[in-house]
Amino acid sequence: MTENALQNVTFPSGGRTAHGYLAVPASGSGPGVVVIQEWWGLTSHIADVTNRLAAEGFVALAPDLYGGSTTHDSDEAGTLMQELPVDGAARDLGGAVDHLLGHEAVTSSTVGAVGFCMGGGFVLVLAAQQGDKIGAAVPFYGVLKEEFPSFARLTAPLLGHFGEQDEMAAPDAVRALAQRIESESGVTPEFHIYPAGHAFFNDENLMGTYGPEQAQLAWTRTLEFLRSRLR
């Protein structure tokens, strides 16, 4: 386990200070997007995704949910995820949403949320908790260590990316999740299932399942989705 040197911004969260990594486009302004980490922590891959969003014109913020810790060991990652309280993480993510909505560089009236693995699960939690503050939600192979909360307050359009060989978010479970979201919120998710395994988007993939063609397709769809919905 290592300490994270990628933090470059702080923001208030539930009466305390949270940390994260912020990237602003060269133009100096754009729609806001929260980027939510995998179970490895705020790694160089998550910072790279944040930078890639900024290069596409978004003001992107990745909160550091582990308070500085990162790991490349799956057992340690599992422990970090298990020890992370869902309500505490959701509080920090809500703080990130408010930070972006109040940021002088953010031009949108709502923010987007993009997350991976654990972060994909938190995208859905965040959209359910923050309601109409979230204008677009994009979970990549989202998982959560416990049952998802009620989706009754969710209003954001949903675009999801999942792998058909993913045992952590299996296609049957994904379809069941989509049905639950629609029944509780009235929002019909647009979930895509790719010929790929878990974490197929991660080009620093420690699981050996990176799929460049599927990753590029998912990324293109994500950018089009965010651009069309964040104003």
Side-chain angles (χ1 to χ4, degrees), residues 153-172:
R153 291 185 58 208
L154 186 147
T155 60
L158 289 177
L159 173 68
H161 308 293
F162 300 88
E164 64 183 12
Q165 288 103 45
D166 186 348
E167 295 180 359
M168 297 177 71
D172 286 348

Side-chain angles (χ1 to χ4, degrees), residues 10-94:
T10 60
F11 53 92
S13 169
R16 65 182 191 84
T17 299
H19 297 77
Y21 179 77
L22 179 72
V24 178
S27 66
S29 63
V33 178
V34 177
V35 181
I36 313 179
Q37 69 191 49
E38 294 174 294
W39 67 346
W40 311 112
L42 177 51
T43 61
S44 56
H45 169 65
I46 296 301
D48 178 63
V49 172
T50 307
N51 290 336
R52 287 168 64 183
L53 283 166
E56 295 290 344
F58 298 95
V59 179
L61 171 60
D64 190 341
L65 300 182
Y66 289 164
S69 295
T70 62
T71 183
H72 292 103
D73 179 86
S74 57
D75 289 338
E76 286 185 349
T79 298
L80 286 168
M81 182 173 74
Q82 288 299 323
E83 292 177 349
L84 178 67
V86 171
D87 56 347
R91 179 191 61 224
D92 285 351
L93 293 170

Side-chain angles (χ1 to χ4, degrees), residues 137-230:
V138 187
F140 280 72
Y141 30 85
V143 297
L144 201 66
K145 68 181 182 182
E146 57 192 55
E147 282 293 306
F148 281 98
S150 168
F151 293 109
R153 291 185 58 208
L154 186 147
T155 60
L158 289 177
L159 173 68
H161 308 293
F162 300 88
E164 64 183 12
Q165 288 103 45
D166 186 348
E167 295 180 359
M168 297 177 71
D172 286 348
V174 170
R175 285 186 278 269
L177 177 62
Q179 290 174 353
R180 182 182 159 194
I181 290 170
E182 185 167 9
S183 68
E184 293 182 7
S185 70
V187 174
T188 301
E190 181 185 344
F191 282 175
H192 296 278
I193 298 179
Y194 300 78
H198 188 73
F200 68 85
F201 185 78
N202 188 339
D203 54 4
E204 296 180 8
N205 194 311
L206 304 171
M207 303 175 75
T209 52
Y210 173 55
E213 292 183 8
Q214 306 306 323
Q216 184 56 52
L217 177 57
W219 183 244
T220 299
R221 285 170 168 166
T222 297
L223 293 176
E224 291 173 351
F225 184 76
L226 293 173
R227 288 193 178 111
S228 67
R229 286 161 176 81
L230 297 179

